[in-house]
Amino acid sequence: MAVPLWLAATVGVTGVLLSRVDYNVFFMKFFRNLSRSKARARLYNNKYAMIPVMLGIEQPIKIKDDIDAENAMHITREQLEEMDGFEDTPLYLSIKGRVYDVSAGGKFYAEGGEYHDWVGKDASRSFGTGCRGGVDRTGMDCLSESLEGLTDNEMKEVDRWLELYETHDKYTFVGYLVDDPVEEIVERVHEENEAAERAAAAEDLDEEVDVDEAEEEEGVAT
């Protein structure tokens, strides 16, 4: 029995598309969206929340900074690195500068888990691109916190992950990621010293020019 041309073409195109699918990323997004659907239904009493979320036609919930943000815990990058689940430490991750405790999801976030690459750092870029090792299409570190160069769709993916952590009933917001104040002071002192050295060098150069000009004038006068 001959196979209809349209059926053969459909199967062929489907096979090509499926071969390009990153199944790890696909299932990560699937279960993420399932959790978001449940959270939206719980928080907003919306029993139909699953439909737009699973179809990808919803708008991520915009997370507003807490009113008492100034009183929230501040966590440095060095402190965040230590929250990796080793030696009985909790499992922390950061996304867009917001730090969450995901210890309740140890099966996924502890060493050997699917999401462990995100633990102990702000890997915001990875949440958007799905890249978790090496460099991405722009040549930037996949696990960078920089969002530079991401497309609108990738930025939306970042916000979807942020919504997951913010609304999940087992993950908790811990505080904000900040630069180490000691490192800031050292860096500022270093910059001030460099500026002072440049100013001194410029002043010495001006003095040399003045001396040269005075010598030239003296030579002309004689």
Side-chain angles (χ1 to χ4, degrees), residues 176-191:
Y176 295 95
L177 187 64
V178 297
D179 292 322
D180 189 322
V182 175
E183 291 183 1
E184 283 188 348
I185 293 173
V186 171
E187 184 176 351
R188 186 166 62 249
V189 170
H190 180 67
E191 290 176 352

Side-chain angles (χ1 to χ4, degrees), residues 16 37 40-41 54 65 80 95 101 120 129 156 222:
V16 171
S37 299
R40 288 188 177 209
M54 299 307 290
D65 288 339
L80 180 60
I95 176 170
D101 184 340
T129 63
K156 185 175 289 187
T222 57

Side-chain angles (χ1 to χ4, degrees), residues 89-179:
T89 59
L91 294 162
Y92 283 7
L93 62 77
S94 177
I95 176 170
K96 296 183 77 172
R98 295 176 67 86
V99 180
Y100 294 90
D101 184 340
V102 295
S103 301
K107 177 181 178 181
F108 306 101
Y109 292 93
E111 185 182 21
E114 186 68 27
Y115 304 158
H116 184 66
D117 291 332
W118 292 335
V119 171
K121 61 179 69 70
D122 188 318
S124 295
R125 190 176 194 82
S126 178
F127 290 103
T129 63
C131 174
R132 287 179 292 158
V135 296
D136 62 20
R137 58 177 175 74
T138 68
M140 292 191 68
D141 181 1
C142 287
L143 298 175
S144 168
E145 65 183 273
S146 172
L147 301 177
E148 181 181 351
L150 294 190
T151 65
D152 290 342
N153 286 337
E154 289 170 337
M155 288 297 298
K156 185 175 289 187
E157 283 299 308
V158 176
D159 288 336
R160 283 172 173 147
W161 281 104
L162 179 59
E163 177 188 329
L164 168 73
Y165 295 117
E166 186 71 20
T167 61
H168 201 286
D169 59 345
K170 294 182 180 179
Y171 303 151
T172 55
F173 171 68
V174 177
Y176 295 95
L177 187 64
V178 297
D179 292 322

